[in-house]
Amino acid sequence: MSSSTDPGHPDPDSTVASSRAERPVSDRGDTVCVIGAGASGLTAVKNLREAGFGVDCYERETGVGGAWNWRHDRSPVYASTHLISSRPFTQFPDFPMPDDWPDYPHHSQLLSYFERYADHFDLRQHVWFGTEVVRVEPVEGDRWDVTTRSTGGYGPERTSRYAAVVLANGHNWSPKLPRYEGLEQFRGEVMHASSYKDPAQLRGKRVLVVGAGNTGCDIAVEAAQQASHCWHSTRRGYWYAPKYVLGRPADQVNDTLLALRVPLRVRQWLYHWTLRLTVGDLTRFGMPEPDHRVYETHPIANSQLVYYVGHGEVTPVPDVARFDDRAVELTDGRRIDPELVVFATGYLPRFEFLKGQVLGDEDGSGRPRLWLNAFTAGYPTLAVVGLVQPDSGIFPISHWQSVLFARLLTLRATRPERAAAFERKVRAGLGERYSAKVKDSTRHWFEVGHADYLRALQRALHELEGVK
Amino acid sequence: MTVERVRVVRSWEWARPERPARREVLAAVPEREEAKPPLLFVPGFGHGAWAFAEHWLGHAAGRGFPAYALSLRGHGGSEPAPEATLRSYTHDVTQVAASLPRQAVLVGHGAGARVVAHALARYPARAAVLVAPVLGGWATFGTALRRNPVGTVPAVFGAGLRLHRRQLFSRELPDADARRHLARLGRAGRRAQWQLLTGRGPEPAVGRPPVLVLGSPDDRVVPASALIRAAQRYASAPLLFPGMGHDLMLDARWREPIDAILDWLDKDPASAAG
Ligand SMILES: Cc1cc2nc3c(=O)[nH]c(=O)nc-3n(C[C@H](O)[C@H](O)[C@H](O)COP(=O)(O)OP(=O)(O)OC[C@H]3O[C@@H](n4cnc5c(N)ncnc54)[C@H](O)[C@@H]3O)c2cc1C
Ligand SMILES: NC(=O)c1ccc[n+]([C@@H]2O[C@H](COP(=O)([O-])OP(=O)(O)OC[C@H]3O[C@@H](n4cnc5c(N)ncnc54)[C@H](OP(=O)(O)O)[C@@H]3O)[C@@H](O)[C@H]2O)c1
């Protein structure tokens, strides 16, 4: 699958003596390695190329687009997935989506957008498809040994040495599956939302959907229309925000307030008030009162869930307590008998190819500790791109993260004192947050408010450039 | 005129996206695909894609470059847009540029060069060419006033800017042709015209595109001094084509400037810039 046009691919001839002796390492000089050719990886390749760097990108799948490529085994999108962030917030800042597309495009449009991006900037020639990264190890001189092999595990491993590495491996593909007492005995069908693809999977069944992230809400809405019954279990109350308020996409209304510099508290108050007027009091449907303010959990953008609850097609229920062979017991003692349980309980990040402590994960929890969700202390030539969960589109953030990293790498050579000052900022800023205070949940590890985050990133970029 | 800071946060633009508009795009593509970048021609105020369809599109395609020209909204065959702003025009350019199969070279003529300068901050063009650029500001206005007071003064009060034959074409162009072109001239939006004088200058270009400036020392819209200033902004010197009018793509000797542009691109200035 790999392209043969790239003149500079790892070439075993130019081997250097490996610090680990046994294995030959091909030295890729100043080339930068990018892991993953999803949206984040593609924008990293483009921006590094634009800054003049050679790039080798490794992608274990056979196409670009990552999560948005429904052909990929690990793609979490289902047939009906539409964006939750409207177009202006989702497109790359220097490659607009067609303006005759809808406010909230379909996942197949997203894929075509990323494919066009790859072709427009001629990025595929830098991507090694069907190639999985299995190890990333820091070596002397702030350089990196990256070991790859063919996806599926056959063929030999090969190791190449790079001047820098971008991790763009995504964080929405490894399912988070909670443990429950008795789940093994349960005779019904159980799946994680990542294997949910098509409403036909729900048709005519009694379905329990667990979790009210955007995935859980979307699936509950489909179950309302397809299943014979739908229970929707949540362990807390949420703010179910519609996709449109005041006749415009909700995120555009929110950013009007941000542009006017309306403080968070006032925005929260306005939002609560708008929801009162549109969605109304949800406790009348038996849904719990939210235990937090708007923006303190990852926003839900779904105009239909409340509608189907109001039509009796979705029955809101509390958290699951335990399973037995034919029933599910809820925390309020009620027992229900679904034939299919869909766990829309989210995803966990995975960096198996890297020692946890490189990303500041000291306690082995799997949670990196970074500055700007991208930079780690002590490894100035490493950046993570796309490890954010914004209240908005992720792609502009990935774009600017990779622009910043490309600038940093350039300045390491031309203005080392600036790069050193940046490194000090990284150390001082590890673990910094860019959102309202959020509920403690793995799903909020990477939660950022897009405006707060991008402002911080803009400041970092200006400081690095030395402009005030 | 350029501000040095890169802008990341654009809350207003996100909150108030530009209204979509139906746009006319004319194209001439080479019969055999070569590895040459697509060109996107952006006409100045009052002109439409037709101005490039006359000679330059076909000529560029003949030399192996896929060539496209758009009409900014309110011009040529695009949708009427009396309320258009410089931002709407910039949006039109980035929309068409991003729709092309590969990274494009932006070529702006007249005030279209100003629009291109704005677009360069929002789309990483492979290269840019500013032809007889009207980059705006009060100096532009001064020249226009001196050369063509009758056509210019009403424009300040919202009327269309009227250009006359001797400003646009040399004497070599046959009268019939000149009349035909003049009859097709439209006008830019009132707000856009005003912003050309008073609006904020373009932000820095993204992606470090090489920029070529060219024009005629005998242009009665853009004086040679303005050409030199425009070129200096992009750290180069202008290519000059004496004896031609402002509309280099329509004038009798239209072939010379387009050949110079294509020669420059054939030398691949992007790789030279490193
Ligand atoms: C149902 C759903 C809907 C979503 N909707 C939105 C939305 O509306 N707006 C939004 O902004 N975000 C949305 N998201 C978030 C989504 O994660 C991002 O949109 C986006 O996919 C992130 O891109 P990425 O490139 O960072 O990661 P991914 O798209 O996951 O791409 C990572 C790539 O890296 C590759 N890879 C991983 N590990 C390796 C390895 N070891 N070796 C080689 N290659 C590797 C993978 O194969 C993949 O191609 C949604 C997520 C889900 C689950
Ligand atoms: N249409 C779209 O564009 C779209 C669709 C789907 C997803 N997305 C995006 O994709 C990302 C992932 O979304 P997601 O919905 O799959 O996951 P998510 O946002 O992490 O939501 C997980 C849900 O499961 C619950 N949950 C987690 N662990 C649990 C446990 N142990 N017991 C009970 N409940 C538990 C969470 O509750 P708590 O709140 O209590 O933790 C939450 O309600 C998000 O960024 C989302 O915006 C977008």
Side-chain angles (χ1 to χ4, degrees):
Chain A
M1 282 311 296
S2 309
S3 65
S4 51
T5 49
D6 184 359
H9 184 251
D11 167 9
D13 295 347
S14 60
T15 49
V16 293
S18 162
S19 52
R20 285 162 195 77
E22 338 67 66
R23 188 159 27 94
V25 175
S26 81
D27 193 327
R28 297 291 290 135
D30 291 335
T31 306
V32 180
C33 174
V34 174
I35 301 172
S40 299
L42 289 176
T43 193
V45 175
K46 174 203 160 269
N47 287 309
L48 285 161
R49 291 286 307 141
E50 212 167 89
F53 292 95
V55 179
D56 289 342
C57 173
Y58 297 110
E59 169 54 58
R60 66 183 171 201
E61 300 278 359
T62 54
V64 299
W68 295 93
N69 196 328
W70 49 270
R71 296 183 196 93
H72 295 171
D73 293 342
R74 298 181 187 80
S75 167
V77 306
Y78 32 88
S80 66
T81 307
H82 280 258
L83 282 180
I84 38 168
S85 44
S86 75
R87 232 180 337 104
F89 296 92
T90 313
Q91 63 199 3
F92 291 120
D94 59 353
F95 190 74
M97 290 184 191
D99 61 3
D100 57 358
W101 277 12
D103 289 332
Y104 297 103
H106 186 246
H107 71 79
S108 57
Q109 289 175 305
L110 263 273
L111 175 59
S112 82
Y113 174 69
F114 297 131
E115 288 181 330
R116 278 204 307 108
Y117 184 80
D119 293 334
H120 195 87
F121 297 109
D122 213 356
L123 306 178
R124 286 183 216 256
Q125 58 167 318
H126 308 288
V127 184
W128 292 82
F129 291 106
T131 308
E132 185 169 19
V133 171
V134 291
R135 260 191 315 283
V136 174
E137 297 152 298
V139 292
E140 234 180 272
D142 293 328
R143 309 190 73 214
W144 298 89
D145 280 359
V146 176
T147 303
T148 59
R149 65 163 184 228
S150 293
T151 305
Y154 41 83
E157 292 189 350
R158 55 197 302 171
T159 303
S160 309
R161 184 160 297 174
Y162 290 97
V165 171
V166 173
L167 310 179
N169 57 324
H171 60 102
N172 277 330
W173 52 267
S174 177
K176 173 190 179 191
L177 265 175
R179 287 179 206 288
Y180 294 95
E181 187 189 325
L183 184 58
E184 303 74 50
Q185 283 97 285
F186 183 63
R187 295 231 200 101
E189 199 187 333
V190 173
M191 64 160 81
H192 184 266
S194 55
S195 6
Y196 172 73
K197 297 290 150 200
D198 191 278
Q201 291 167 273
L202 309 170
R203 204 158 290 155
K205 296 180 184 157
R206 294 188 303 278
V207 177
L208 167 64
V209 180
V210 181
N214 285 295
T215 307
C217 293
D218 277 355
I219 298 177
V221 164
E222 303 216 313
Q225 300 165 77
Q226 303 292 338
S228 66
H229 194 89
C230 171
W231 295 276
H232 188 198
S233 159
T234 63
R235 60 179 177 183
R236 65 176 93 244
Y238 294 98
W239 300 94
Y240 296 91
K243 279 187 152 171
Y244 287 90
V245 297
L246 310 173
R248 314 237 330 275
D251 50 5
Q252 297 180 15
V253 174
N254 181 44
D255 262 55
T256 307
L257 300 176
L258 280 172
L260 296 169
R261 302 228 166 224
V262 176
L264 174 69
R265 272 308 158 105
V266 181
R267 281 188 296 125
Q268 285 174 324
W269 180 82
L270 281 169
Y271 216 127
H272 290 178
W273 181 75
T274 316
L275 289 188
R276 284 276 157 202
L277 286 179
T278 49
V279 176
D281 175 11
L282 295 178
T283 57
R284 73 190 192 280
F285 300 123
M287 292 164 112
E289 183 95 45
D291 56 353
H292 56 277
R293 299 167 156 269
V294 163
Y295 304 122
E296 291 175 5
T297 52
H298 182 63
I300 298 169
N302 192 312
S303 305
Q304 291 172 289
L305 185 78
V306 173
Y307 173 93
Y308 283 108
V309 171
H311 285 59
E313 304 285 358
V314 173
T315 309
V317 295
D319 205 6
V320 170
R322 62 184 63 79
F323 286 78
D324 59 33
D325 59 345
R326 36 192 89 251
V328 179
E329 190 181 313
L330 304 168
T331 48
D332 62 357
R334 238 184 304 170
R335 288 169 62 83
I336 56 176
D337 59 342
E339 294 161 283
L340 168 65
V341 180
V342 183
F343 286 106
T345 40
Y347 298 85
L348 289 171
R350 256 166 88 173
F351 297 94
E352 300 146 305
F353 45 71
L354 188 64
K355 278 215 180 66
Q357 110 250 355
V358 173
L359 295 180
D361 168 23
E362 300 291 350
D363 55 1
S365 64
R367 177 181 192 166
R369 218 172 109 78
L370 307 170
W371 183 54
L372 287 173
N373 290 37
F375 301 98
T376 178
Y379 301 95
T381 52
L382 180 72
V384 193
V385 168
L387 190 61
V388 284
Q389 174 159 281
D391 56 348
S392 178
I394 217 174
F395 316 117
I397 291 181
S398 297
H399 167 90
W400 287 114
Q401 288 174 329
S402 44
V403 167
L404 179 61
F405 187 52
R407 281 309 288 160
L408 176 66
L409 291 180
T410 303
L411 290 172
R412 270 173 63 79
T414 56
R415 305 291 298 268
E417 75 289 354
R418 294 237 187 103
F422 188 88
E423 168 70 6
R424 287 193 293 279
K425 297 222 61 162
V426 173
R427 278 180 200 284
L430 291 178
E432 194 172 87
R433 295 299 303 238
Y434 314 90
S435 63
K437 84 173 189 324
V438 283
K439 280 279 157 191
D440 187 27
S441 170
T442 53
R443 67 186 294 224
H444 294 139
W445 279 359
F446 313 117
E447 189 73 18
V448 302
H450 70 287
D452 288 348
Y453 180 84
L454 287 173
R455 273 194 206 112
L457 194 151
Q458 178 169 285
R459 258 195 315 277
L461 190 61
H462 289 168
E463 273 178 33
L464 190 60
E465 302 277 13
V467 295
K468 283 286 148 272
Chain B
M1 184 151 118
T2 43
V3 279
E4 275 311 309
R5 300 168 56 132
V6 174
R7 259 182 72 208
V8 171
V9 180
R10 298 178 182 276
S11 295
W12 272 126
E13 288 183 33
W14 297 331
R16 302 253 151 218
E18 195 52 57
R19 202 179 57 77
R22 193 173 33 74
R23 286 175 290 266
E24 172 186 46
V25 178
L26 301 179
V29 290
E31 276 161 32
R32 286 217 343 255
E33 177 156 358
E34 298 178 46
K36 302 195 180 187
L39 312 181
L40 176 58
F41 293 98
V42 180
F45 288 5
H47 293 67
W50 55 266
F52 294 103
E54 187 80 10
H55 304 296
W56 280 17
L57 287 189
H59 188 76
R63 286 191 52 180
F65 289 86
Y68 304 82
L70 87 142
S71 295
L72 298 172
R73 63 183 66 193
H75 291 79
S78 288
E79 189 175 312
E83 291 306 309
T85 59
L86 276 184
R87 184 184 162 211
S88 337
Y89 293 158
T90 306
H91 171 91
D92 289 341
V93 173
T94 53
Q95 279 286 317
V96 176
S99 77
L100 299 178
R102 278 174 302 129
Q103 204 175 358
V105 176
L106 302 184
V107 186
H109 172 256
R114 166 71 179 262
V115 177
V116 163
H118 284 286
L120 290 178
R122 306 309 303 278
Y123 169 78
R126 185 181 300 251
V129 182
L130 310 182
V131 183
V134 175
L135 294 181
W138 291 103
T140 305
F141 178 67
T143 313
L145 203 59
R146 244 175 304 119
R147 300 278 165 93
N148 176 12
V150 184
T152 306
V153 171
V156 178
F157 303 100
L161 179 70
R162 276 181 296 137
L163 297 167
H164 56 68
R165 182 194 191 293
R166 296 286 295 113
Q167 280 181 296
L168 298 181
F169 312 112
S170 69
R171 285 179 202 285
E172 287 166 61
L173 188 73
D175 254 355
D177 286 339
R179 269 200 304 277
R180 186 163 54 88
H181 300 325
L182 285 173
R184 300 191 75 164
L185 288 181
R187 57 159 303 185
R190 195 165 37 83
R191 296 168 66 193
Q193 237 170 233
W194 183 244
Q195 286 172 338
L196 186 62
L197 299 182
T198 60
R200 263 212 272 167
E203 295 171 27
V206 292
R208 308 183 303 163
V211 178
L212 174 70
V213 175
L214 53 86
S216 164
D218 304 308
D219 182 333
R220 304 253 202 124
V221 177
V222 181
S225 60
L227 287 177
I228 293 170
R229 247 183 294 122
Q232 272 167 353
R233 183 175 302 162
Y234 298 100
S236 69
L239 290 184
L240 295 176
F241 298 85
M244 297 187 74
H246 180 64
D247 279 0
L248 286 90
M249 66 287 190
L250 293 171
D251 211 343
R253 282 157 46 208
W254 58 265
R255 206 180 293 264
E256 295 168 30
I258 184 68
D259 272 332
I261 294 172
L262 301 179
D263 289 345
W264 180 71
L265 291 171
D266 274 334
K267 275 187 266 149
D268 198 6
S271 63

